[in-house]
Amino acid sequence: MTKSTAEQGGTLTRQREAVLQVIRGSEEHLTASEIFEQARRLLPSISYATVYNSLKFLTNAGMVHEVKFGNGASRYDRETGRHDHALCTECGKLVDFDLDLTAELMRTAARRSHFKAESIHLTLRGLCPDCRPAG
Amino acid sequence: MTKSTAEQGGTLTRQREAVLQVIRGSEEHLTASEIFEQARRLLPSISYATVYNSLKFLTNAGMVHEVKFGNGASRYDRETGRHDHALCTECGKLVDFDLDLTAELMRTAARRSHFKAESIHLTLRGLCPDCRPAG
DNA sequence: TTCACTGCAAAACGTTTGCAAACAG
DNA sequence: CTGTTTGCAAACGTTTTGCAGTGAA
């Protein structure tokens, strides 16, 4: 029953730390394969499966945030607090932002859908500053 | 340049019609594999790939609506107008609803994210009426 | 010694593709 | 005939799994 490094679940191994470091070190929202590429630079022996294990571990531990979109690859975000996403339809760039109407929004959505609300997820699709016509 | 049955793109073949009929005939949001199962009851010779082709065709033609969630299978919705979704975390049920604050919401989100808004997608996660503790 | 974790390879899953044959205009 | 669509099988990208081997308490 003796606990190790992390809060409860398990150990923050070298591999998991490398994965965490990659995610924390990036402005972007990386995919598992991008994380694998970068993690193996820190720890050449790391395997793809271990990256996946680590991502699951870190997600469960609340240390990173998984963003699932469409049918493509999940992306991982160092920002773990509640926030929304904007996805560029031109270049695929994914940006975090926060809408503080969400408490209100969740109540309205719950009423309309007759669900007991747990969380609300909002995604804006459009053109990012770099891709839109004018400045 | 002579057009056929559909608006512009192509023909509404027997296969595409079967797929459309399955989607229109269901209250649920079916996956491609569920659609395949049901479509082959209408048209036993239909193939999986043709179901995918048809879904792509119908989606492009605006006759059905594709809902992509997480990394799982896309679901297809006969409701093509703008609307939001509620996803049950217990049983996976997906329900449509409409929030009419969305025009306002889109403006705010665009301002916050600095994106040029195209569309906004809102998903409520929680417990559906059947799964939540009390009535 | 024990138990969690790793690395590898294979499988699983949803989806897409290449291509020959069938079909409609 | 010509172009489109079909059906099949094989390929694809992402994720999961089985399992033997490693490593830290």
Side-chain angles (χ1 to χ4, degrees), chain A residues 56-89:
Chain A
K56 189 170 287 184
F57 172 85
L58 295 169
T59 303
N60 288 341
M63 302 168 88
V64 304
H65 183 62
E66 182 180 9
V67 187
K68 300 178 176 206
F69 268 114
N71 303 323
S74 282
R75 296 176 170 277
Y76 293 85
D77 194 342
R78 59 187 176 183
E79 183 55 60
T80 56
R82 212 221 72 82
H83 61 271
D84 306 294
H85 296 282
L87 181 62
C88 182
T89 51

Side-chain angles (χ1 to χ4, degrees), chain B residues 14 32 48-49 52-53 56 72-74:
Chain B
R14 218 170 312 112
Y48 217 116
Y52 270 103
N53 285 340
K56 188 172 288 182
S74 282

Side-chain angles (χ1 to χ4, degrees), chain A residues 16 19-20 23 30-33 35-36 48-61 64 66 74 76:
Chain A
R16 290 169 180 178
V19 168
L20 183 56
I23 295 168
L30 305 171
T31 62
S33 102
I35 292 166
F36 174 57
Y48 217 116
T50 297
V51 168
Y52 270 102
N53 285 339
S54 303
L55 289 170
K56 189 170 287 184
F57 172 85
L58 295 169
T59 303
N60 288 341
V64 304
E66 182 180 9
S74 282
Y76 293 85

